[in-house]
Amino acid sequence: MSFSQFIAILIAHRKAALIAFGGTLALVIGLSLVWPKTYSSVAVVVVDQKPDPVSANPYSSMTTPGFMATQVEIFQSDRVALRVVRNLRLAESMQVRLEWAEATNSTGSIESWLAERLQKKLDVKPSRESNLINVTYKADTPKEAAFKANAFVQAYLDTNLDLRADPAKQYSSFFDMRAKQLREELEAAQAKLSAYQKEKGIIASDERLDIESARLSDLSTQLVQLQALTAESTSRKNQAARSTDQLQDVLNNTLISTLKADLSREEAKLKQATTVWGENHPSVIQTRASVAELKERLATEIRKVGSGVGVTNAINQSREADVKAALEAQRAKVLQLKEQRDQIGILQKDVENAQRAYDNVLARLSQSSLESENKLPNVAVLSPAVEPIKQSSPKMLLNSVGGFFLGLLLAMGTALVAEFKDRRIRSLQDLTKTLSLPVIGSLTPPGKKKTLLFRSRDSGPLLEQRMLRPLPSPGTE
């Protein structure tokens, strides 16, 4: 279908098309006039995405990419809507209760029903690339739209605070209970440590161990020295058993040296006297007796020195045995002190661990208590909702433009439907297509001008054009 054919169809069915166009436009304008007016009030909320300074976590969920979408979901949640219902006491109205009973046959919760009705009129949209949230509420009156928009904003603020404080309160309760348990464990560990120290008589385990270790070291030194003395005295005793007069003590003894010198002089005197006076001379006999006495005294002194070496050796061995026994006892004591110190170290470690755990939980308890009492919101109202001056719907201009184009579509559709029901020849194209014959010329009734629908694009009459052109063969256009 060409454009000229379409225009011819519209002209032929212009009455039906005008009726369809006018009726549609009138219907749209009439409905816009009688349709209930709706008013929209907008409140703007700004959300701070900085980390909470009160929170222990410097990287809060406020910095996540989906934070603004989460805030929008909270705004549109049932919890906020139910809070609006409770804050405004909408369920207490008798008229509202009658509407709820009629709509639901008194089944379900009236608050949930009211919350669902409120949510249908609420529209929450975040601004692009900003922290602003636009809250729009639609109502039948400007006052109601502004009032309920602000009510939703206030309910959102309260819910936001609850969502931040409720987990902190739960954590605070948990940490409080845990702190009491850890305090009991700490007291039990301290009591166990004190009881062990009291039982063992330990005041300062490290100092006492140092003293006993020093004593053990002294005994070890003494034992080494005594072992050296014992070895030496044993060697001297053995030598004394073999040849006492060769002992160094004997050789170094002054009395023995004096006796030996006296003995030598007396022996020399005896030899001289014997040579001079003979064996039986009283002087010789007296000198011989003196020599025998000196020998006896010398032998006695040598035996004394030899026996003294044996006594010294016995004393050294006894002292060595005593020091060795004391050393073993001291070593056992030091080992016992080390075992006690290790046990005390374990008990002290238990006390330190219990103290550390108690301090950590106490710090978390203090932090969670502070967070649970935090009343500083991260959301602020940038501009509250005010009563709108103009209605938001129906929009007369927009509806009129829409009705105009809808009327045009219906008008064209009506003309096309009427034409398809009663198809007629409206132009030369329809005639040549229907008859499959060439058109030689066209006649215009007297007094009537030939319309452009029957003229060619050239300036000359159609008859002249057809006469000058060669005729097409039959069966073709």
Side-chain angles (χ1 to χ4, degrees):
M1 179 183 296
S2 63
F3 181 73
S4 60
Q5 290 175 323
F6 178 71
I7 295 298
I9 292 172
L10 289 180
I11 293 174
H13 300 283
R14 57 184 175 277
K15 291 183 179 180
L18 289 175
I19 292 173
F21 174 76
T24 302
L25 184 60
L27 179 62
V28 171
I29 294 176
L31 289 176
S32 299
L33 292 175
V34 300
W35 197 265
K37 295 181 180 180
T38 302
Y39 296 87
S40 298
S41 184
V42 181
V44 182
V45 175
V46 59
V47 181
D48 186 8
Q49 290 189 349
K50 296 180 180 179
D52 188 2
V54 180
S55 176
N57 184 12
Y59 302 101
S60 174
S61 60
M62 299 179 183
T63 59
T64 58
F67 176 72
M68 293 300 295
T70 303
Q71 299 307 307
V72 172
E73 293 295 331
I74 294 174
F75 239 122
Q76 297 175 338
S77 64
D78 295 339
R79 181 170 179 174
V80 174
L82 289 172
R83 193 161 198 146
V84 173
V85 173
R86 298 189 185 101
N87 291 343
L88 300 182
R89 298 181 179 180
L90 300 178
E92 298 178 3
S93 174
M94 185 57 65
Q95 181 180 358
V96 172
R97 287 187 171 275
L98 292 176
E99 293 178 2
W100 166 71
E102 182 180 356
T104 63
N105 294 326
S106 300
T107 57
S109 172
I110 185 173
E111 291 185 349
S112 300
W113 180 74
L114 286 171
E116 186 178 354
R117 289 183 60 183
L118 293 176
Q119 287 174 328
K120 292 179 179 179
K121 299 180 181 180
L122 179 69
D123 184 24
V124 182
K125 293 181 179 180
S127 298
R128 291 185 178 181
E129 298 180 358
S130 68
N131 298 339
L132 301 181
I133 298 178
N134 299 317
V135 184
T136 305
Y137 190 85
K138 297 179 180 180
D140 297 335
T141 62
K143 184 177 181 180
E144 180 184 1
F147 180 69
K148 289 188 177 178
N150 290 326
F152 263 98
V153 171
Q154 186 60 44
Y156 166 72
L157 295 177
D158 297 339
T159 303
N160 196 324
L161 284 177
D162 291 343
L163 292 176
R164 296 171 61 192
D166 288 346
K169 291 179 180 178
Q170 296 177 2
Y171 290 144
S172 178
S173 176
F174 168 75
F175 286 131
D176 184 36
M177 178 180 64
R178 185 58 180 159
K180 293 179 181 178
Q181 295 176 355
L182 291 176
R183 183 175 180 178
E184 294 176 357
E185 294 178 2
L186 175 60
E187 292 176 352
Q190 290 176 340
K192 190 174 181 180
L193 175 61
S194 300
Y196 185 80
Q197 289 178 334
K198 185 177 181 181
E199 177 185 358
K200 302 298 181 180
I202 300 174
I203 299 176
S205 60
D206 292 337
E207 180 180 355
R208 183 178 177 186
L209 179 61
D210 292 340
I211 294 173
E212 298 298 335
S213 297
R215 185 176 299 173
L216 178 63
S217 179
D218 292 340
L219 288 174
S220 299
T221 304
Q222 292 178 16
L223 179 61
V224 172
Q225 294 175 354
L226 287 174
Q227 285 176 344
L229 290 175
T230 302
E232 182 184 359
S233 61
T234 302
S235 176
R236 290 167 58 195
K237 179 183 177 182
N238 295 333
Q239 185 180 0
R242 292 192 302 269
S243 56
T244 307
D245 55 349
Q246 298 300 322
L247 284 174
Q248 191 67 29
D249 295 344
V250 173
L251 297 176
N252 294 332
N253 192 289
T254 305
L255 179 59
I256 293 176
S257 298
T258 303
L259 290 176
K260 284 183 177 180
D262 292 343
L263 179 61
S264 297
R265 285 194 300 269
E266 289 297 326
E267 286 180 346
K269 185 178 179 182
L270 176 61
K271 185 177 180 181
Q272 183 179 4
T274 302
T275 303
V276 175
W277 293 310
E279 293 290 337
N280 295 323
H281 191 273
S283 297
V284 172
I285 295 172
Q286 184 180 0
T287 302
R288 189 180 291 116
S290 178
V291 169
E293 182 182 356
L294 287 174
K295 287 182 177 180
E296 183 64 26
R297 287 181 61 188
L298 180 61
T300 301
E301 291 299 328
I302 290 174
R303 284 195 300 270
K304 285 181 179 180
V305 173
S307 62
V309 171
V311 171
T312 302
N313 181 57
I315 292 173
N316 290 337
Q317 289 179 349
S318 177
R319 289 178 61 190
E320 180 184 355
D322 292 341
V323 172
K324 185 179 293 185
L327 180 63
E328 294 297 331
Q330 188 66 22
R331 183 179 289 111
K333 189 174 183 179
V334 170
L335 291 176
Q336 183 180 5
L337 288 176
K338 287 185 177 180
E339 182 180 356
Q340 292 176 359
R341 185 187 65 176
D342 294 339
Q343 184 64 29
I344 288 178
I346 294 174
L347 296 176
Q348 289 177 343
K349 200 68 174 180
D350 293 341
V351 172
E352 292 174 0
N353 293 335
Q355 183 69 48
R356 190 179 300 109
Y358 177 69
D359 292 340
N360 291 337
V361 172
L362 204 62
R364 293 295 302 275
L365 173 61
S366 176
Q367 182 65 38
S368 59
S369 300
L370 182 63
E371 292 178 6
S372 64
E373 297 175 0
N374 182 20
K375 301 298 182 182
L376 300 176
N378 65 316
V379 181
V381 180
L382 182 62
S383 59
V386 296
E387 297 183 9
I389 300 175
K390 297 181 180 180
Q391 64 190 34
S392 59
S393 66
K395 298 180 179 180
M396 183 61 68
L397 179 60
L398 182 62
N399 292 344
S400 298
V401 174
F404 177 80
F405 286 105
L406 180 61
L408 285 179
L409 292 176
L410 290 178
M412 290 185 291
T414 301
L416 291 175
V417 170
E419 180 65 22
F420 289 148
K421 288 183 178 180
D422 186 11
R423 189 74 175 94
R424 295 186 181 186
I425 295 174
R426 305 292 182 188
S427 64
L428 291 176
Q429 294 179 359
D430 292 344
L431 183 62
T432 56
K433 185 176 181 180
T434 302
L435 299 178
S436 299
L437 295 174
V439 176
I440 299 175
S442 62
L443 299 175
T444 303
K448 186 176 181 180
K449 295 181 179 181
K450 183 165 56 175
T451 62
L452 292 175
L453 294 176
F454 300 100
R455 296 182 63 89
S456 177
R457 293 180 181 177
D458 299 330
S459 59
L462 181 60
L463 179 58
E464 296 176 1
Q465 296 176 22
R466 293 291 187 181
M467 293 298 294
L468 294 174
R469 294 177 182 176
L471 296 177
S473 59
T476 62
E477 294 184 4

